[in-house]
Amino acid sequence: YWRYMGWDSPNQAQVTRHQTNATIATTSSVFENINGMLAHFNGVLRYVNGKYEIVVKSATDTFGLAQSITDDDIIGAINVEDAGQKGTYNSVSVSIPDPQNRFKARSVNFFDSTYMRQDRNVPKKGNLKTPYISNYYNARINARQYLEESRKGLKVTFTMEPKGLLLTAGSLIKLSNSRLGWSN
């Protein structure tokens, strides 16, 4: 099978990052079905200029395409909220429909020892739902991402001049603010 799929070897590194094993509910709208599938792809379905666009969040080390926002673009105050330890996890329980178990739920637990040490060995467990992932390795990738994102609880809010209307959901921005000492 792996040769047929074009992989060089039967290793997880050859498998695509996003996979789905969805059941489409015909009682739901197309929009709801698509958003359900996009949820575990880290995708956003947005409506721009009379057309639907799908954007998938991806890791990037460059912000070349990001919109730059400076002090001149911000109207009024900029607010920064740090959730602190609330909502952070060092372990996560994932329930996946297991094909070897006739697609009945199988619970798999993941933890990060570094996060556990940072939390003074106090368990902070989160739960992740992955209804369309039936592959253990892809569930593990999503669990890892869920843990990492839970550790980054910084939220920045501000009001922007009218050019901010050109930003769309899922757009990357570079924020520079002299009061906070931020540059890009």
Side-chain angles (χ1 to χ4, degrees):
Y1 177 77
W2 58 272
R3 282 261 189 239
Y4 175 75
M5 294 303 295
W7 304 345
D8 293 330
S9 66
N11 297 330
Q12 176 60 26
Q14 300 293 320
V15 179
T16 58
R17 164 64 174 91
H18 298 292
Q19 296 179 358
T20 189
N21 191 2
T23 302
I24 303 298
T26 57
T27 57
S28 300
S29 69
V30 173
F31 191 76
E32 288 178 71
N33 280 316
I34 297 296
N35 277 326
M37 285 186 273
L38 288 175
H40 79 277
F41 284 116
N42 300 314
V44 176
L45 182 63
R46 61 185 182 194
Y47 188 74
V48 179
N49 294 329
K51 295 181 182 177
Y52 287 101
E53 295 178 349
I54 295 177
V55 179
V56 177
K57 178 171 56 171
S58 62
T60 180
D61 56 357
T62 178
F63 291 97
L65 301 174
Q67 175 72 38
S68 184
I69 298 173
T70 64
D71 291 335
D72 298 333
D73 301 321
I74 298 173
I75 300 170
I78 183 169
N79 297 314
V80 179
E81 295 176 31
D82 187 359
Q85 292 295 315
K86 183 181 177 185
T88 62
Y89 307 110
N90 51 35
S91 65
V92 64
S93 177
V94 181
S95 179
I96 61 171
D98 187 1
Q100 293 180 344
N101 195 20
R102 295 186 179 181
F103 292 94
K104 292 181 183 171
R106 178 176 302 242
S107 184
V108 183
N109 296 312
F110 302 95
F111 79 98
D112 187 304
S113 60
T114 304
Y115 295 158
M116 187 69 89
R117 281 191 300 274
Q118 289 173 356
D119 295 335
R120 297 184 183 110
N121 293 326
V122 175
K124 294 184 174 183
K125 191 169 188 172
N127 292 310
L128 178 63
K129 294 181 181 178
T130 57
Y132 303 131
I133 297 175
S134 57
N135 179 311
Y136 168 81
Y137 298 103
N138 286 86
R140 188 176 69 182
I141 291 169
N142 279 17
R144 178 75 188 153
Q145 179 181 348
Y146 182 75
L147 282 177
E148 288 177 2
E149 286 182 358
S150 80
R151 308 299 281 198
K152 300 171 184 166
L154 197 62
K155 180 180 176 182
V156 180
T157 57
F158 54 88
T159 303
M160 198 171 159
E161 63 180 15
K163 80 174 191 178
L165 292 171
L166 298 174
L167 294 174
T168 55
S171 296
L172 290 176
I173 63 169
K174 295 187 282 187
L175 181 60
S176 298
N177 185 271
S178 57
R179 181 177 65 91
L180 298 172
W182 293 353
S183 176
N184 288 335

